[in-house]
Amino acid sequence: MNQREEVRDEMSDGDMHESQERDAAVGAAVRWSLVVFVAGGLIAAGTVWWLREPARTLATPPSELAAVKVREIPAVRIPRVPFTDVTAEAGIVFVHENGAYGDKLLPETMGGGCAFFDYDGDGHQDLLLVNSQRWPWDARPPGDPATLALYRNDGSGRFADVTEAAGLNVPLYGMGVAAGDFDNDGHVDLFVTAVGEDRLFRNTGRGTFVDVTHAAGVGGGTDEWSTSCGWFDYDNDGDLDLFVCVYLQWSKDADLVQDFQLTGGGRAYGRPQDFAGTLNRLHRNDGDGRFTDVSAEAGIQVFNPLTGQPMGKSLGVTFYDFDQDGWMDIVVANDTVQNFLFHNQRNGTFHEIGMTAGVAFDMAGAARGAMGIDAGRFRNNDAVGIVIGNFANEATALFVSYGPELRFIDEAIPTGLGPATRNALTFGVFYFDFDLDGRLDLFAANGHLESDINRVQRSQHYAQPPQLFWNAGPEQATEFCLVGEEHSGPDLRRPLVGRGAAFADIDSDGDLDILITGIGQSPRLLRNDQQTGHRWLRVRLEGVRTNRDAIGARVELDLAGRTLSRQVMPTRSYLSQVELPITFGLGNHHEITAARVVWPDGTVQPIPPPAVDQAITVREETALRDSNGGEDPR
């Protein structure tokens, strides 16, 4: 036996023992596996049986359900208020001249301002229409130059052209207008913006105007393109200062060299994104007929923090004391860049807070193509809404702030305004109470820039119907209801290339009529023919210590447990001005329980509760208390 066999024999006994132990372990494992397998099968079978067994009815008695409380929403019944086109009947013969000759220069599609104001002091609202003109390089045979147009109202809603007699037959490439008594002499003056030098016309009080632009120092640059403008007293010194929106750094050469094209071919109007931004202007009234440009030191010049270049592309402006501190703030609508909100610091300066306040961008953080603008207490409480008309496919904005905190939220969608305005390209926009029910409604003038837009965007049209929104109240699911032709009549809804828009009571019947301007066409004057039976009150204020027009003052009326508050602010809409008097709709209320005026300097002046259905004038009280407690009449 060799050595290897000996080793194998020596190990065989031990190996055999270990093999037996392994066999026993394997056998035990197999048995347990069978047990587990059988148990698993039984569990699976039981589960299938349980799932397939019909549901058993429990014998538990049913419990009584709590009653469901459903909030009852009153039925919305939009009032029928017909608006009638009375343009020709009223004697308005005017066609806007935009100078278009085929090269499609951007200013040709952006003008069309208008203003209602009482230029002759007879208590009736007259009308100024801003015109542009042909370009100096236009090769067409020259015609009569286009000029401003002033129409005098006889009080019944009929107008006479007094342009030449008033000295306003002035040719310029006009854009917007602001009406205000800057020298506090009781006669309303005019400031007109333009492509090129702006103009200031002083009202002589004898039915004529005098150009005082150079003496006043408010003409701006000859290469500037100014748009909306407005008078307000930013420093509370009792006279009106002037804010001017400046749009783009524009020139003919810069426009033509970019060769803007429509999809599918053809020259197009340029995009604002392709032009540099600008700086707006603030002119402080020095009280002697002259103004000082305080734009830089006042803080209203905004620069891009990344490039250091001017940021503004401003088209709309209005003024409001948003934080209720007695000092007017400024809100500016910008085209394709962020909107501005200038908070008055009460020391002659402003702080731009548009981004932190929530009005700079839309909810996605994007800038929109903003044009017209207005602000007001549309819910008759502390909520203030800034409404801004935007470009096509961008809904109108409704930034709402509650109280003086300067925090705004865009409520256009939940109020119903957003979906109804998405397809419209909105320029002029303003609040007014068209049915005199005591709630502020909304009006929008719409129209595209491109006459051929329908060829490349089937949802868009050059001429677009204006939109009227009835304020149904905050308790309704849809707060702003679009008024259809069946409720407004066909004249209001007829499409036009709308731009500026304003309102006034042209026929002294207590309700508010509308004027819309159009690019290269006649304006449309719409008479309000409402027959709701609602009561009303018109209030005209006359300042003494504060500015004569009382711009920035508020009138508050108490009636039946609620307060109506309206501000004297003609600067609103797009390139336009509304009338100075305030019209209150009172609904079915026949009695005003209390009334007061909050003058621009914060002084509260109670007035005896006036009777309804009339126009009143309230003059600012001048008696002040001197240091000895006596009255100091000033």
Side-chain angles (χ1 to χ4, degrees):
M1 181 180 295
N2 60 32
Q3 186 175 4
R4 290 181 180 176
E5 290 176 339
E6 290 177 351
V7 171
R8 185 185 59 187
D9 290 340
E10 289 175 358
M11 296 180 59
S12 61
D13 293 338
D15 291 342
M16 186 178 297
H17 179 71
E18 289 180 3
S19 177
Q20 291 174 347
E21 290 181 345
R22 284 196 301 267
D23 292 342
V26 170
V30 170
R31 288 193 297 271
W32 280 110
S33 297
L34 290 173
V35 172
V36 171
F37 180 80
V38 172
L42 292 174
I43 293 173
T47 302
V48 171
W49 173 84
W50 179 78
L51 290 174
R52 296 179 64 181
E53 184 185 36
R56 296 180 181 178
T57 303
L58 299 178
T60 305
S63 58
E64 184 177 352
L65 297 177
V68 178
K69 295 182 179 180
V70 179
R71 181 170 65 96
E72 293 185 4
I73 299 177
V76 173
R77 295 182 179 179
I78 298 175
R80 187 177 186 278
V81 176
F83 283 84
T84 305
D85 186 342
V86 295
T87 312
E89 175 187 335
I92 297 175
V93 181
F94 176 89
V95 178
H96 178 259
E97 171 64 78
N98 65 345
Y101 62 94
D103 277 345
K104 288 196 173 182
L105 303 176
L106 187 54
E108 296 167 1
T109 194
M110 300 298 291
C114 60
F116 280 114
F117 73 118
D118 182 7
Y119 91 97
D120 54 359
D122 64 355
H124 309 309
Q125 299 304 309
D126 309 304
L127 173 63
L128 183 88
L129 293 166
V130 179
N131 216 340
S132 299
Q133 62 177 340
R134 290 188 178 184
W135 297 107
W137 52 82
D138 190 343
R140 292 177 296 174
D144 294 334
T147 72
L148 302 170
L150 178 64
Y151 285 89
R152 182 180 181 273
N153 187 353
D154 67 1
S156 69
R158 295 185 178 273
F159 293 81
D161 189 336
V162 295
T163 309
E164 186 173 357
L168 290 177
N169 53 333
V170 178
L172 75 166
Y173 205 99
M175 284 282 146
V177 57
D181 184 3
F182 77 86
D183 51 4
N184 283 332
D185 65 351
H187 310 297
V188 183
D189 312 296
L190 291 171
F191 181 80
V192 179
T193 61
V195 177
E197 186 180 43
D198 302 329
R199 305 290 183 86
L200 176 61
F201 300 98
R202 184 177 64 82
N203 190 332
T204 66
R206 299 184 296 273
T208 60
F209 292 83
V210 178
D211 189 334
V212 296
T213 307
H214 292 161
V218 293
T222 57
D223 59 347
E224 285 186 347
W225 176 0
S226 304
T227 53
S228 291
C229 53
W231 299 101
F232 76 127
D233 185 4
Y234 84 94
D235 51 3
N236 281 352
D237 65 352
D239 54 31
L240 290 175
D241 311 297
L242 178 64
F243 186 93
V244 182
C245 292
V246 184
Y247 187 29
L248 302 170
Q249 294 185 30
W250 179 88
S251 69
K252 172 193 173 186
D253 292 340
D255 200 324
L256 290 177
V257 76
Q258 299 188 62
D259 194 25
F260 301 104
Q261 296 287 317
L262 283 172
T263 302
R267 170 75 178 172
Y269 285 109
R271 307 184 315 152
Q273 296 96 320
D274 295 306
F275 296 90
T278 56
L279 300 173
N280 296 321
R281 306 198 315 264
L282 177 61
H283 298 277
R284 186 189 65 213
N285 191 336
D286 295 333
D288 58 357
R290 292 190 56 82
F291 292 77
T292 299
D293 188 336
V294 295
S295 309
E297 53 264 46
I300 61 97
Q301 295 183 336
V302 182
F303 296 86
N304 188 311
L306 298 178
T307 65
Q309 298 301 308
M311 180 183 288
K313 297 182 180 181
S314 303
L315 287 176
V317 63
T318 192
F319 313 101
Y320 203 92
D321 180 9
F322 290 108
D323 58 351
Q324 304 169 33
D325 64 352
W327 298 75
M328 297 300 293
D329 309 303
I330 311 169
V331 59
V332 176
N334 281 313
D335 191 2
T336 71
V337 298
Q338 66 190 64
N339 301 317
F340 300 149
L341 175 55
F342 296 105
H343 182 214
N344 196 323
Q345 302 297 289
R346 300 182 291 181
N347 59 3
T349 68
F350 293 85
H351 180 49
E352 203 288 300
I353 60 168
M355 190 178 300
T356 58
V359 303
F361 303 107
D362 66 11
M363 290 187 293
R368 289 181 277 199
M371 273 81 71
I373 191 169
D374 198 4
R377 296 188 180 185
F378 67 98
R379 287 180 178 143
N380 291 328
N381 54 24
D382 286 342
V384 176
I386 300 172
V387 59
I388 300 178
N390 291 310
F391 202 77
N393 303 313
E394 298 173 343
T396 292
L398 181 61
F399 297 110
V400 182
S401 175
Y402 297 86
E405 288 76 20
L406 296 174
R407 295 290 184 270
F408 292 82
I409 301 173
D410 192 345
E411 298 188 10
I413 292 177
T415 58
L417 188 62
T421 58
R422 186 168 298 280
N423 282 335
L425 199 164
T426 300
F427 279 87
V429 62
F430 56 71
Y431 292 107
F432 77 138
D433 185 359
F434 76 87
D435 63 335
L436 301 177
D437 67 350
R439 294 189 296 266
L440 290 176
D441 311 300
L442 275 171
F443 177 82
N446 306 318
H448 212 281
L449 276 63
E450 292 288 350
S451 58
D452 295 328
I453 189 62
N454 187 247
R455 180 167 61 84
V456 295
Q457 292 185 36
R458 302 306 299 173
S459 64
Q460 290 298 312
H461 298 271
Y462 186 45
Q464 300 181 2
Q467 291 176 305
L468 180 64
F469 292 91
W470 180 62
N471 186 342
E475 68 276 5
Q476 297 294 340
T478 300
E479 195 165 351
F480 282 107
C481 302
L482 181 61
V483 179
E485 185 175 316
E486 68 275 17
H487 293 101
S488 68
D491 290 350
L492 184 141
R493 292 286 294 168
R494 269 191 302 116
L496 80 164
V497 189
R499 293 297 184 263
F503 65 80
D505 180 7
I506 63 169
D507 47 6
S508 305
D509 63 353
D511 56 34
L512 296 173
D513 312 292
I514 301 171
L515 184 120
I516 318 167
T517 66
I519 283 289
Q521 55 190 215
S522 299
R524 185 180 302 170
L525 181 62
L526 296 161
R527 186 184 64 211
N528 187 332
D529 290 332
Q530 63 88 24
Q531 297 293 325
T532 62
H534 289 159
R535 307 292 115 191
W536 53 272
L537 177 72
R538 286 174 58 80
V539 182
R540 186 179 74 86
L541 300 182
E542 182 180 317
V544 178
R545 293 193 309 274
T546 58
N547 70 88
R548 183 68 176 260
D549 291 333
I551 290 175
R554 294 198 319 274
V555 180
E556 297 178 349
L557 303 182
D558 296 338
L559 59 157
R562 64 172 175 163
T563 298
L564 306 183
S565 177
R566 305 286 184 262
Q567 178 180 254
V568 179
M569 184 47 61
T571 300
R572 55 176 84 184
S573 186
Y574 172 74
L575 305 177
S576 302
Q577 301 270 280
V578 305
E579 64 175 359
L580 272 174
I582 297 173
T583 294
F584 285 92
L586 305 177
N588 296 318
H589 299 286
H590 292 260
E591 182 181 3
I592 298 169
T593 57
R596 58 201 161 272
V597 178
V598 182
W599 295 98
D601 64 358
T603 302
V604 179
Q605 177 181 332
I607 57 177
V612 302
D613 294 345
Q614 66 164 332
I616 66 171
T617 298
V618 178
R619 192 168 189 265
E620 185 178 16
E621 291 180 348
T622 58
L624 301 177
R625 294 288 175 180
D626 63 20
S627 58
N628 296 319
E631 288 191 349
D632 176 21
R634 283 188 278 175

